[in-house]
Amino acid sequence: MGRVNFGVSAFFIFCLLGLSANAKVFNIGSKPGCDITKALLKAFNQACQFPTKSTVLIPKGEYKLGEIEMMGPCKAPIRIALQGTVKADGNAVHSEKWIAFHNIDGFKLNGGGVFDGEGNAAWRVNNCHHTWKCKKLPISIRFDFVTNAKIRGITSLDAKHFHINVIGAKNMTFEEVKIVAPAESPNTDGILVGRSDGIKIINSFISTGDDCVSVGDGMKNLLVERVTCGPGHGISIGSLGRYGHEQDVMGIKIVNCTLQETDNGLRIKTWPTAACSTSASDIHFENILLKNVSNPILIDQEYCPWNQCDKKKASTIKLSKISFKNIRGTSGNKDAVKLLCSKGHPCQNVELGNINIKYTGSDGPATFQCSNVSPKLMGTQVPKACSSPVTKTLK
């Protein structure tokens, strides 16, 4: 009977730690306050070579963590359980990444812990929001060519640059992820995804200084659901067309989300004088609540920050099969809806249904502008569709 009780107790201990009782656990073996860069890499490499599924455990406490790249392929599914807080170097370090996971299949990252990018000093010297000729700052967490993965219950705090960047991924889910940085922190995009297939971002909170979710070229089959965004720059498809050899975007669904106090809302942006001729299609925004959101619905095919392009040349990015349905709430400026499509490639198959966006500012009622597009309208439209003269976007 004593042996049975011991087994049950051990089982409950594993459950309390959030660990699987039949997975090999590799503990970093470091005390709080230590630099765990070498210890974490050693534990990861050991777990990666283990023949059955394993867990790398970072216990509760605060730890220092330098730049690190954890690379597969691994012999079996691997999990990192971050229960504590890892903190980056607080100086303005110029590099491409802080933490990277590369070429791993069957990956999990969870545990309720925090990745603290210590971005304050870096934001003061970051000028990348004014010019693209700037020194890059590290992305907090990169997932490169990670497949069949689930990221759950972690927090990314105060990234120096992007919080999370995903490229080359397949079948990857972010759930109950929290991303936080001040509204004035530059280029701190929440989750940037591109050249991936089958990504889900659900039940998450993103409050940052740039796009909450940014969709880059080559993204296919993305679901963003029950995400609260703001402050920040909203949820953006693009920008597209800045570089040559970009890939098509298709199959994007943004549903049941809340945007609050953001500089933009639901946005698709492409460059004039685009360096490629790709397309973005099958993009759907549905059941979105707006709370004092500026530019709530925006298609901008004249996106040209820093005036580094010729707006007289039409964008060559083709937009089609786009819908905005059941979008309701309040706007932070009078430009409630702006559909500014390319004169060279007018938007095709754009649908709007049950739009109800109110604005109470002193400069007049909310406006609905259309250029190079004839949208299909369903249900109510507040403000009245395509009823306002077109004005140019400021950024």
Side-chain angles (χ1 to χ4, degrees):
M1 183 64 69
R3 291 176 62 188
V4 172
N5 287 338
F6 176 79
V8 172
S9 299
F11 174 78
F12 279 113
I13 289 171
F14 273 90
C15 289
L16 287 171
L17 290 174
L19 304 176
S20 174
N22 60 347
K24 172 71 172 178
V25 177
F26 294 86
N27 195 313
I28 59 168
S30 301
K31 294 181 179 180
C34 294
D35 186 321
I36 63 168
T37 309
K38 291 181 179 180
L40 176 57
L41 186 59
K42 179 181 178 181
F44 174 84
N45 288 336
Q46 289 175 336
C48 188
Q49 295 305 309
F50 198 69
T52 60
K53 64 181 181 180
S54 59
T55 294
V56 175
L57 175 62
I58 304 173
K60 291 182 179 180
E62 286 193 357
Y63 305 90
K64 299 175 183 178
L65 182 63
E67 183 174 323
I68 187 170
E69 185 168 8
M70 287 166 271
M71 298 185 65
C74 296
K75 292 183 177 180
I78 187 170
R79 173 189 176 211
I80 293 183
L82 172 64
Q83 297 177 346
T85 296
V86 292
K87 300 173 77 72
D89 186 330
N91 296 311
V93 179
H94 294 289
S95 67
E96 292 188 354
K97 63 184 180 298
W98 174 30
I99 301 165
F101 302 99
H102 183 86
N103 193 25
I104 306 172
D105 180 49
F107 178 67
K108 290 183 179 180
L109 171 62
N110 51 33
V114 178
F115 295 92
D116 186 349
E118 291 279 353
N120 199 336
W123 302 331
R124 293 196 295 268
V125 299
N126 183 358
N127 65 341
C128 292
H129 53 303
H130 296 304
T131 175
W132 60 20
K133 296 179 180 179
C134 60
K135 292 183 178 180
K136 298 299 182 184
L137 292 160
I139 296 168
S140 269
I141 311 170
R142 284 179 48 165
F143 298 96
D144 301 342
F145 307 99
V146 174
T147 57
N148 301 311
K150 188 167 187 177
I151 315 303
R152 186 175 185 273
I154 58 104
T155 295
S156 178
L157 179 67
D158 291 345
K160 293 181 175 68
H161 195 215
F162 303 157
H163 282 263
I164 294 173
N165 188 88
V166 180
I167 191 167
K170 290 185 179 180
N171 187 26
M172 187 173 194
T173 298
F174 293 86
E175 184 175 7
E176 297 177 5
V177 170
K178 186 176 182 180
I179 296 174
V180 179
E184 63 274 11
S185 57
N187 300 112
T188 53
D189 295 60
I191 302 178
L192 174 63
V193 295
R195 303 205 179 191
S196 299
D197 191 345
I199 307 297
K200 296 178 181 178
I201 304 170
I202 56 179
N203 293 330
S204 294
F205 176 84
I206 305 174
S207 174
T208 185
D210 212 296
D211 294 336
C212 292
V213 177
S214 180
V215 180
D217 78 284
M219 187 63 229
K220 298 179 181 179
N221 302 313
L222 169 69
L223 173 65
V224 179
E225 184 172 13
R226 297 187 301 276
V227 169
T228 297
C229 163
H233 293 180
I235 297 175
S236 293
I237 315 300
S239 61
L240 303 175
R242 179 176 173 182
Y243 303 105
H245 309 293
E246 290 188 7
Q247 300 176 12
D248 294 344
V249 172
M250 63 184 73
I252 311 298
K253 292 182 67 176
I254 315 295
V255 297
N256 301 322
C257 293
T258 298
L259 279 70
Q260 51 195 20
E261 305 289 340
T262 54
D263 291 348
N264 294 286
L266 311 171
R267 180 166 57 155
I268 302 173
K269 49 184 179 177
T270 76
W271 288 67
T273 61
C276 57
S277 297
T278 54
S279 67
S281 62
D282 195 17
I283 300 171
H284 306 287
F285 304 90
E286 188 168 355
N287 295 331
I288 308 296
L289 178 61
L290 309 166
K291 298 180 180 180
N292 196 33
V293 171
S294 297
N295 308 308
I297 296 177
L298 177 60
I299 295 179
D300 183 8
Q301 293 209 260
E302 297 180 352
Y303 179 75
C304 185
W306 324 303
N307 294 315
Q308 295 189 11
C309 51
D310 184 359
K311 287 190 175 184
K312 294 180 180 178
K313 294 184 179 181
S315 177
T316 56
I317 308 300
K318 303 177 182 68
L319 303 182
S320 65
K321 299 180 182 178
I322 299 167
S323 68
F324 301 89
K325 297 180 179 179
N326 300 325
I327 315 297
R328 66 199 187 281
T330 57
S331 178
N333 64 352
K334 65 186 297 181
D335 297 330
V337 183
K338 264 186 154 181
L339 309 179
L340 306 183
C341 296
S342 169
K343 61 186 177 182
H345 299 280
C347 298
Q348 301 294 320
N349 300 318
V350 176
E351 297 183 2
L352 292 103
N354 295 322
I355 307 299
N356 189 353
I357 302 174
K358 297 178 180 179
Y359 173 65
T360 58
S362 60
D363 54 342
T367 62
F368 192 134
Q369 305 175 34
C370 300
S371 177
N372 303 307
V373 60
S374 299
K376 178 181 178 181
L377 305 176
M378 298 166 289
T380 58
Q381 306 293 328
V382 180
K384 184 178 179 181
C386 303
S387 60
S388 307
V390 174
T391 60
K392 302 301 183 182
T393 54
L394 296 179
K395 62 177 182 178

